Amino acid sequence: MIEREQVLHVAKLARLRLSDEEVERMVGELSGILDHVDRIGNLDLEGVEPTSHVVALENVLRADEPRPSLPRDVALASAPEPQDGAFRAPSPQAE
Amino acid sequence: MADLEAVIGLEIHVQLATRTKMFCGCELSFGDEPNVHTCPICLAHPGVLPVPNEQAIRYALQIGLALGCEIAPRSIFHRKNYFYPDSPKAYQISQYDIPICGPGRLGDVRIHRAHLEEDAAKTIHVGASGRIHGSDASLVDFNRGGTPLVEIVTEPDLRGAAEAAEWARLLRETVRQLGVSDVNMEEGSLRVDANVSVRPAGSEELGTKTELKNMNSFRFLQRGVEAELARQRELVEAGGTVTQETLHFDPASGTLTPLRSKEEAHDYRYFPEPDLVPLAPTEEMLREAREALPELPVARIARYEEMGVPGDVALTLATDPRTAGYFENVVEEADGIEPRVLANWVTGELAAALRQAEVEGGAADSRVSPPSLAALVRFVQEKKISHGSGKIVLAAMVVEGGDPAAIIEREGLAQMSDSGELEAIVEKAMAENADAVEKIREGNGKAIGAIVGAVMRETKGRADGGEVNRIIREKL
Amino acid sequence: MTDLLDLTALEAREAMAAGDLDAAEYTAAWRQAAAGDDLNAYLWQGDGEEAGAIAVEAGRTAPIAVKDIFCTEGVPTTAGSRILEGYRPPYTSTAVRRLLEAGAPVLGKTNMDEFAMGSSNENSAYGPVLNPWDRERVPGGSSGGSAAVVAGGLAPWSIGTDTGGSIRQPAAFCGIVGLKPTYGAISRYGMIAFASSLDQCGPLTRTVKDAALLLGILQGGDPCDSTSVGIEGGVSLPDREDLSGLRFGVPKELADYDFDAGVREVFEQTLRKIEELGGEIAEVSLPSSEHGISAYYVIAPAEASSNLARYDGVRYGMRRGGDGDLIEMYETTRSEGFGPEVKRRIMLGTYALSSGYYEAYYGQAQKVRTRIAQDFAGAFADVDFVVTPTAPSVAFKLGEKTDDPLAMYLNDFFTVPMSLAGIPAISIPAGLAAPEGGGPQLPVGFQIAAPAFAEQRLLDAAYALEQGIGFDARPGDADG
């Protein structure tokens, strides 16, 4: 079961804005999913190592050799708001 | 109220001097035009993947070994999730609970851990006032984004602002001598933040700490910590409590301002980075890292102290490996003379003479060869010339190089060894300064200076001051 | 002309190599067929000119459809999302690069569930894909477009991605072959990330031999992907004639699960066919697999919540609300750019990783994952393969499950455990069955899973079974 307050908090963390209607729906849907998922909480998994890496590899590294960078115009080609060779974004809110 | 003691820990970020970034092959940038060193990876385009820079791993191992750290047999990367324009993936690849380097020590301060991570991009705030508050927009330059960093965290073992700055200098010098970073605070390749708190002296518990940022020189570091300690002391002594906050140091005013805390403290939601496999430094990597270590300042200081050189002089010598090398050559040439004396000449008289003559570079670059300095010091030690004459000879050597014996001969600086001649001159000086003699007899010991001065002038400094004093007292 | 389109990719390749087939003509025929797409399966189709950086002269290999999750330089790549509308990547994914190097022109980019999140292709911002067997039904997802083009005669073969079943399940719903290789067999560089520890590229084809051919082209370690190793020894075309000497394990837990009677019937029939071909059926136990969905729906959304955080309107893609402050821009862009399923999973994933919940959710799910991998390892000590139905039902109707996310998630029940364990699994069409509510017969998939990196043995067995079954139904056959 997830509470409305938690949904609002999580939305903030995820930088999502939900309408009141979406919040309501989310509370219901997430609660349903979490109820199902919560079952794993009851399992006795004492001593079981969590899988953090699927392939048994170590030390996969790259030589410190330069590779060509993108020409700047290509780097900025997709930018929603290029300015003076940089990516423009709004500032954090003035407080 | 019990005395409050300062408790300070440092968090240091070292930008590594590799050729390319931590996770992609873009070259590191030095004041270039914005966004000319970027690629889909460091711009976090959809579908890209990181691959770690081998040299960064090696450099991190060297730093860890230089700090006496335990090297983790296996460490992993974690994602630290947060949204900001300078963080293109909206997560920083870092290390969390299994870092590459564990506990260590440098001098008197214990190291808690050191780990690898990537640097954020640079944000320039533009707008009316040019300051972060009230600005219109951010312009982001991703050249710096992805630069390899090693973050070093100390235990809160420091007890004062000056001590913190001095230890930070030692750390800087140690890392600089490894050749793994420029460690330049003004340029940003070395960043030092301080965690500061106070507590009753003798207490084992830690007080609430504040985090100080943006001190981009050792001087500012010291001033910032001093200011914060003063503020906390005043607050606590007045019965208040310290709030945990981050304070931004303003170099212009030398004051600290709280950074407005974001709505809530960050929840970074750390989890192991699935796109990277663990690091397990091999025996060979460790051996190579160990072999790459030069003799580091702390070891050198200890060695010099063992030779009898006082700590502060040893620190000065150890700070520059070339000066240290020069000093050691002088010691070898001056077989028999106390290293303490030679150290003082190198860091004292020679340094002064070089400054006076406006000579660029240090002792090792000067015209004064180690054998000639050793010979000069021997002349003075054996009282063949006075200390003052020694300085004159040194000044000449700084300009023209050469052999002290020749210069002494040329300038006629050989110490007056004929005591009869000296006695005669002393008698004459005493006769000419009868009132001074009177004063000495009355108990004013300082008046002897006038007579000594007269003798020195007459002998052109070639007399030995101590000897002159002795003769005067004899004749009183 | 139609004869050309009947050739499998392998036949075409052999004919081109022998000089019996004009490559340009062959590719042109397919481009023409693709242009007739009435299934909403393609989001972009290209010809030589427009394809720019990914243009390759028709040569040695059959042209191919590519799921719109693979970055293709200069060519629109949307991942089925509004937030990447108009985005043209500055680079090409390794998988597509290998295809181009093999001389396979790209026919087009196929429609998919947004950011690969879905089991029906109804989560695309560009409209659902229709199942060529019945246009009122879903083709499965998230590689719905890739499956529909192959089943619907709009491409000879295609590549998709599979995170929890997104190749296998649509292959089953569309009556074609779909393979999810071992995690690490194919490079993920340039494959827009959904769940990094689960995502894998794989072939969707008409035949098992075509799947082997395509896997051979795609597999390999890539210096750009430090989790990729390729398949040691590579992959050869299968030619096994029967299944003698091979043991096939049926999880006893299947008996407890609810799935369509028609699916169950085809499954049982296929087990009998295996025995007919000389294979042995044995019982195995995978006790933790019942928790596969739970573990999957924690791990995948958690990783996704982090992987999708980069869609923030700063460097590429959609930006909305840029007149406000930074947070407003982030929130508006993401709220308008992401569809409801993506938002749901981002929320779920963020929650599972958040302070105070990590251990209970993410930590616990990763332990369940270890258990599932151990279960398979235990089973493979006794049998060569584990077999299950690919999906619990045949293709369902559009809109049938969109109101209940959990019901939709349960579609992945049989496919998720193999993804969690990182082992390879293939779905081959095994028969037809009527849907529970009645209607014309629809394809049923049979899933075979093998130990990590045992793709060759898997393909060999799948081929022999495929030949034994002789599934030759086509969409449009079952009219009336």
Side-chain angles (χ1 to χ4, degrees), chain A residues 9 13, chain B residues 261-269, chain C residues 355:
Chain A
H9 174 73
L13 286 178
Chain B
S261 55
K262 335 291 189 206
E263 312 81 50
E264 72 278 318
H266 281 295
D267 179 356
Y268 292 117
R269 306 185 294 288
Chain C
S355 174

Side-chain angles (χ1 to χ4, degrees), chain C residues 299-385:
Chain C
I299 294 168
E303 293 178 3
S305 70
S306 178
N307 286 327
L308 269 61
R310 67 189 59 194
Y311 304 106
D312 59 8
V314 175
R315 288 150 287 108
Y316 49 75
M318 177 198 274
R319 173 188 290 196
R320 294 273 186 279
D323 292 333
D325 67 16
L326 184 62
I327 296 203
E328 200 177 313
M329 190 273 281
Y330 282 154
E331 289 184 351
T332 311
T333 298
R334 292 163 64 77
S335 305
E336 291 186 17
F338 290 140
E341 182 59 39
V342 168
K343 284 182 190 165
R344 212 169 2 247
R345 297 205 196 186
I346 290 176
M347 292 288 292
L348 199 45
T350 306
Y351 179 71
L353 291 173
S354 66
S355 174
Y357 294 99
Y358 178 93
E359 262 319 307
Y361 286 104
Y362 192 77
Q364 193 76 342
Q366 292 285 33
K367 290 182 180 180
V368 171
R369 184 176 190 170
T370 303
R371 269 278 160 79
I372 290 174
Q374 287 169 349
D375 282 355
F376 275 111
F380 288 132
D382 179 36
V383 298
D384 299 291
F385 308 102

Side-chain angles (χ1 to χ4, degrees), chain C residues 281-304:
Chain C
I281 305 295
E283 190 185 76
V284 293
S285 180
L286 302 173
S288 300
S289 59
E290 82 171 277
H291 300 292
I293 293 285
S294 303
Y296 177 81
Y297 279 99
V298 168
I299 294 168
E303 293 178 3

